[in-house]
Amino acid sequence: MSTSPLLQVEGLTKRFGGLAAVRGLGFTVAAGEIVGLIGPNGAGKTTAFNTISGALPPSAGRVRFDGRDITGHKPSAVVAAGLARTFQSTTTFAAETVAANLENALLARLQGSAPQRLMGRRSGLVAAAAAAAEVERLLAELELLPWRDTPAGALAYGLQKKLGIAIALATQPRMLLLDEPAAGLNHEECNELSRLLRRLSGERGLTLLLVEHHMAVVMEVCDRIVVLVQGEKIAEGTPAEVRADPAVVEAYLGAPDHAHA
């Protein structure tokens, strides 16, 4: 794992009218690191994700990725730079097969395609002749081959979540933002998710930033954790340090339903 920051968030603020959903947020994520962003409902976690990924323009602050200022860039430009994200709910084409969903995701990297030209993607391109093999490789990597011809909407919820990750990986990101990947999963599926995230980090060298309420997943997979409360960072450190921080226990971890909030 590199110690140089791949992602730098500096003084990030997002206001909605008179309400500051995120205030002065700052943290870094090193290349190859897995970082968790946690906090109670309404803490500003998803707003921070939306601002980092370009879905929302910041009111103040800077976002740098791989040394480049991507503050306020459109989501397509952020993805082209190598930073992709998943969402709390599954975002697949329900009537299309699993394989077709991945083929659609590959269009942004397909040489000469309209999406590739519109996004300005110049690196990590795939030739049309190699696209089918790329789809099969992703299906195998995410253990989705048995469902390649199944409509995405017919998949069990855990498999839909896994397909969402595969779709993000099809853009060939250097860093992946995961918005509540364990939401709605049972205990066995959460364990499988933890193994998958560790494998993606280890085998791909993929950098991960995840918003998650399921503390067992966070404590299992994250190298470091950033804690938000009411839009402000109140703590940052290793899982053990955060678990023992009195301010975090009082504001979040001490709540009896924190694992399912």
Side-chain angles (χ1 to χ4, degrees):
M1 184 194 305
S2 169
T3 56
S4 60
L6 182 61
L7 178 72
Q8 295 173 275
V9 177
E10 305 167 351
L12 191 67
T13 297
K14 180 59 185 177
R15 299 185 184 89
F16 297 96
L19 172 67
V22 177
R23 291 192 293 269
L25 176 61
F27 65 92
T28 63
V29 182
E33 193 175 22
I34 304 178
V35 174
L37 189 60
I38 70 170
N41 287 332
K45 304 180 300 296
T46 296
T47 298
F49 252 40
N50 288 338
T51 308
I52 292 168
S53 63
L56 290 171
S59 303
R62 284 280 175 265
V63 178
R64 302 181 192 276
F65 182 72
D66 197 20
R68 295 173 51 196
D69 191 336
I70 61 168
T71 311
H73 286 196
K74 293 180 179 179
S76 58
V78 173
V79 171
L83 195 159
R85 68 165 292 182
T86 65
F87 294 84
Q88 290 180 22
S89 57
T90 55
T91 53
T92 60
F93 293 100
E96 297 196 13
T97 66
V98 169
N101 270 271
L102 291 179
E103 289 165 4
N104 292 335
L106 275 178
L107 289 175
R109 291 175 47 218
L110 197 62
Q111 287 177 351
S113 68
Q116 181 257 314
R117 293 195 300 270
L118 286 170
M119 290 180 68
R121 184 78 186 243
R122 296 180 179 85
S123 63
L125 300 183
V126 60
E134 178 92 354
V135 168
E136 296 304 310
R137 184 184 65 77
L138 284 166
L139 288 170
E141 184 178 16
L142 273 295
E143 301 177 344
L144 289 168
L145 275 172
W147 299 276
R148 73 177 313 284
D149 298 317
T150 302
L155 294 175
Y157 190 68
L159 291 172
Q160 289 188 34
K161 287 272 194 171
K162 191 180 286 189
L163 177 56
I165 294 175
I167 288 170
L169 291 177
T171 69
Q172 206 173 60
R174 294 185 60 194
M175 181 172 183
L176 186 57
L177 308 185
L178 297 151
D179 196 356
E180 298 198 29
L185 302 185
N186 61 35
H187 179 72
E188 182 179 344
E189 289 168 336
C190 284
N191 289 338
E192 184 179 354
L193 173 68
S194 296
R195 290 192 295 270
L196 173 62
L197 296 183
R198 275 295 182 194
R199 178 161 60 84
L200 292 175
S201 175
E203 294 179 0
R204 280 179 169 252
L206 192 64
T207 306
L208 302 174
L209 175 64
L210 59 144
V211 160
E212 187 52 71
H213 280 297
H214 200 293
M215 286 299 101
V217 172
V218 172
M219 297 297 174
E220 169 68 22
V221 306
C222 291
D223 302 307
R224 200 158 43 84
I225 297 171
V226 176
V227 187
L228 283 184
V229 172
Q230 295 182 345
E232 295 183 331
K233 183 175 76 173
I234 66 164
E236 180 177 355
T238 66
E241 290 168 342
V242 165
R243 187 189 287 118
D245 190 312
V248 178
V249 172
E250 180 180 0
Y252 183 47
L253 296 183
D257 61 346
H258 71 267
H260 310 286

